[in-house]
Amino acid sequence: MRIITERFKALSDSSRLRILMMLKTKSLCVCEISSILQLANSTVSKHLSILRQAGFIVDEKAGRWVNYRLATADKSPEATLLLPHIEGWLANDLKIQNDRELMRTIDRVAICSIE
């Protein structure tokens, strides 16, 4: 029961739902998600941590970035079963649609501070 409770708690925040819908489209780094959500990197990192703990996402190091993507069914079958329902429920949400538009124009090199 603890795992299912964690998953539903993870879904109880609109920013985390928005992140899941963004990651449904493509993998993103913290700075890209922060730019779209207009939240601090630390806030986004906390949201990502909660989603990772609940089994919805995984992270991968790719050069200078850590990319976040949705977990696959072999990693988290129950979480992946919920995602199509969430996507259906949010299909007409204006914030989700706006996030998708922003994702098309976002340039991680331009927004991420890389030394």
Side-chain angles (χ1 to χ4, degrees):
M1 187 174 297
R2 182 187 59 76
I3 294 170
I4 195 73
T5 303
E6 275 185 18
R7 289 192 176 128
F8 280 101
K9 282 183 181 178
L11 296 174
S12 70
D13 182 89
S14 62
S15 292
R16 291 193 287 271
L17 289 172
R18 289 172 67 191
I19 291 169
L20 286 174
M21 292 302 95
M22 283 186 258
L23 296 179
K24 185 95 170 124
T25 303
K26 68 177 186 176
S27 296
L28 297 167
C29 67
V30 171
C31 57
E32 290 171 310
I33 297 168
S34 295
S35 178
I36 293 168
L37 295 179
Q38 295 295 293
L39 295 173
N41 284 357
S42 60
T43 302
V44 169
S45 291
K46 180 63 178 171
H47 286 309
L48 291 168
S49 174
I50 292 167
L51 290 169
R52 184 176 43 243
Q53 180 69 29
F56 285 104
I57 65 170
V58 295
D59 58 80
E60 305 172 308
K61 179 89 169 129
R64 299 177 183 200
W65 287 281
V66 176
N67 291 317
Y68 293 87
R69 64 175 175 80
L70 295 177
T72 56
D74 62 319
K75 299 274 185 194
S76 184
E78 299 86 3
T80 56
L81 286 173
L82 288 170
L83 290 173
H85 297 289
I86 295 165
E87 184 176 30
W89 297 327
L90 297 174
N92 296 319
D93 186 88
L94 294 178
K95 282 189 179 187
I96 300 299
Q97 292 172 1
N98 186 51
D99 292 346
R100 285 189 182 128
E101 288 298 317
L102 291 171
M103 285 176 59
R104 290 186 185 138
T105 61
I106 202 151
D107 178 9
R108 73 170 42 186
V109 175
I111 61 170
C112 299
S113 58
I114 300 172
E115 298 175 13

